[in-house]
């Protein structure tokens, strides 16, 4: 059985993961509106991945005999100043998620809940990959600056992103 403080923290993280999914889905709309179909495709897969992250914790809580009570998911932003600004926001968000996950892992360790800590270590590894993926795209966007031809090529590359193996990042 999960301790009450861990159940509350995991429930909060489920909400954060759904919010992550919501932000990236909002970015799908933004990119599609700007005819950047590759960026939109990349963000759509990212949104799905965040949804899977939420479900992974959701299912874990159930498997530990906990009751998940879902809370309201706040509305995401709807516009960004540029594709670069959108990916900057994505990176800032992932860094925030890394902080959350680290706190959850710290809590699991201080409560000596090895199973929850084990689950959190999966997210710790995942966050390294998530930040690196977004940072890589952001670096390329900075490289091309406002150049339309460069942006066209990056957009074409992002269209090749494939669905990750269950629960992972591609
Ligand atoms: Fe992109 O973060 Fe989930 O965990």
């Amino acid at each position: 059985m999960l301790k009450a403080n861990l159940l509350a923290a995991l429930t909060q993280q489920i909400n954060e993961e759904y919010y992550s999914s919501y932000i990236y889905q909002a970015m799908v709309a933004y990119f599609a509106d700007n005819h950047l179909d590759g960026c939109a495709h990349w963000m759509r897969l990212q949104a799905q991945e965040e949804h899977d992250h939420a479900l992974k914790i959701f299912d874990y809580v159930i498997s530990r005999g906990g009751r998940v009570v879902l809370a309201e998911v706040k509305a995401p932003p709807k516009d960004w100043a540029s594709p670069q600004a959108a990916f900057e926001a994505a990176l800032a968000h992932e860094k925030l998620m890394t902080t959350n996950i680290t706190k959850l892992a710290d809590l699991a360790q201080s409560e000596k809940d090895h199973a929850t800590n084990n689950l959190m270590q999966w997210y710790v590894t995942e966050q390294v990959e998530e930040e690196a993926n977004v940072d890589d795209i952001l670096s390329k966007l900075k490289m091309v600056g406002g150049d339309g031809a460069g942006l066209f090529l990056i957009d074409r590359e992002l269209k090749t992103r494939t669905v990750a193996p269950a629960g992972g990042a591609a």
Side-chain angles (χ1 to χ4, degrees):
M1 193 69 176
L2 284 164
K3 287 192 176 161
N5 57 349
L6 272 171
L7 175 60
L10 288 166
T11 302
Q12 174 64 28
Q13 189 56 29
I14 291 170
N15 188 271
E16 299 282 358
E17 299 289 351
Y18 278 124
Y19 179 62
S20 300
S21 182
Y22 227 30
I23 290 181
Y24 297 136
Q25 197 63 39
M27 288 183 182
V28 172
Y30 162 75
F31 283 123
D33 200 40
N34 285 279
H35 305 282
L36 289 164
D37 296 345
C39 293
H41 167 76
W42 195 94
M43 283 298 173
R44 186 181 297 276
L45 294 191
Q46 191 63 22
Q48 284 169 6
E49 213 171 79
E50 298 299 350
H51 185 264
D52 289 346
H53 288 174
L55 277 185
K56 194 176 176 84
I57 302 175
F58 183 95
D59 288 340
Y60 171 75
V61 170
I62 291 173
S63 74
R64 293 289 307 276
R67 173 71 207 273
V68 178
V69 179
L70 293 173
E72 186 179 353
V73 181
K74 68 182 172 201
K78 71 179 176 70
D79 269 317
W80 291 270
S82 64
Q84 182 178 322
F87 274 91
E88 269 163 1
L91 183 59
H93 182 72
E94 286 306 327
K95 286 184 173 169
L96 190 65
M97 287 303 105
T98 300
T99 303
N100 289 347
I101 294 293
T102 304
K103 282 185 188 157
L104 244 168
D106 285 347
L107 181 63
Q109 284 168 21
S110 70
E111 293 292 352
K112 299 189 181 355
D113 185 328
H114 297 289
T116 301
N117 181 45
N118 200 29
L119 178 73
M120 284 306 117
Q121 294 311 311
W122 182 90
Y123 284 86
V124 167
T125 304
E126 176 75 0
Q127 281 310 116
V128 172
E129 195 174 336
E130 298 259 285
E131 284 192 31
N133 288 342
V134 178
D135 195 38
D136 182 56
I137 297 166
L138 186 54
S139 301
K140 287 175 180 154
L141 286 169
K142 284 179 179 165
M143 217 180 285
V144 303
D147 178 61
L151 187 56
F152 177 81
L153 289 175
I154 292 171
D155 189 63
R156 203 163 65 173
E157 185 191 324
L158 294 189
K159 208 167 196 166
T160 63
R161 181 177 181 180
T162 52
V163 178

